[in-house]
Amino acid sequence: QVQLVESGGGLVQAGGSLKLSCVASGSVSSADAMGWYRQAPGKQRELVAAERHGSSPNYADSVKGRFSLSRDIINNVLSLQMNILKPEDTAVYFCNYKVYRSYGYSHEYWGQGTQVTVSS
């Protein structure tokens, strides 16, 4: 089992910045993948940024150049630095943890979500 605890959401004006953090605990492995997804009202959950240790992060086109993902393997913390925020970034942001076995992807865990609201 893996537990994920997110923090850092809030209300910010357009053009501002926020940093989200996700602390993973339990059966955590650096070989597994971590990432951030978001879900806006009435929309499907979508990938924001994700990475697997040893590979470059993968970003949604809508956040490239504005958001930066970093992972502290020692402390099991995944951070998302969000700059130049736009109203369309408003959503609930979820931390995601994907477990990989020798055969590939196995299963995943989700955090409880943290609200990010960007006012215009």
Side-chain angles (χ1 to χ4, degrees), residues 11-34:
L11 173 64
V12 65
Q13 287 188 331
S17 298
L18 281 175
K19 184 175 182 179
L20 305 183
S21 295
C22 173
V23 180
S25 61
S27 301
V28 179
S29 168
S30 61
D32 296 330
M34 292 187 72

Side-chain angles (χ1 to χ4, degrees), residues 60-78:
D61 288 342
S62 60
V63 307
K64 284 180 180 177
R66 300 188 297 122
F67 290 11
S68 179
L69 189 70
S70 62
R71 184 173 176 180
D72 179 349
I73 296 297
I74 302 299
N75 296 301
N76 297 320
V77 179
L78 183 73

Side-chain angles (χ1 to χ4, degrees), residues 12-115:
V12 65
Q13 287 188 331
S17 298
L18 281 175
K19 184 175 182 179
L20 305 183
S21 295
C22 173
V23 180
S25 61
S27 301
V28 179
S29 168
S30 61
D32 296 330
M34 292 187 72
W36 287 96
Y37 289 70
R38 66 187 181 187
Q39 187 166 19
K43 295 188 177 182
Q44 288 190 330
R45 191 171 296 188
E46 62 176 4
L47 171 71
V48 177
E51 70 105 67
R52 194 173 176 190
H53 186 53
S55 299
S56 298
N58 179 37
Y59 295 95
D61 288 342
S62 60
V63 307
K64 284 180 180 177
R66 300 188 297 122
F67 290 11
S68 179
L69 189 70
S70 62
R71 184 173 176 180
D72 179 349
I73 296 297
I74 302 299
N75 296 301
N76 297 320
V77 179
L78 183 73
S79 298
L80 183 69
Q81 178 65 48
M82 304 186 294
N83 299 323
I84 318 175
L85 282 160
K86 304 176 181 180
E88 50 264 42
D89 294 319
T90 294
V92 178
Y93 284 68
F94 295 90
C95 182
N96 175 266
Y97 185 99
K98 287 183 169 56
V99 178
Y100 284 82
R101 304 297 189 203
S102 57
Y103 52 81
Y105 168 76
S106 175
H107 57 281
E108 62 186 350
Y109 298 92
W110 292 95
Q112 79 283 0
T114 184
Q115 177 70 46

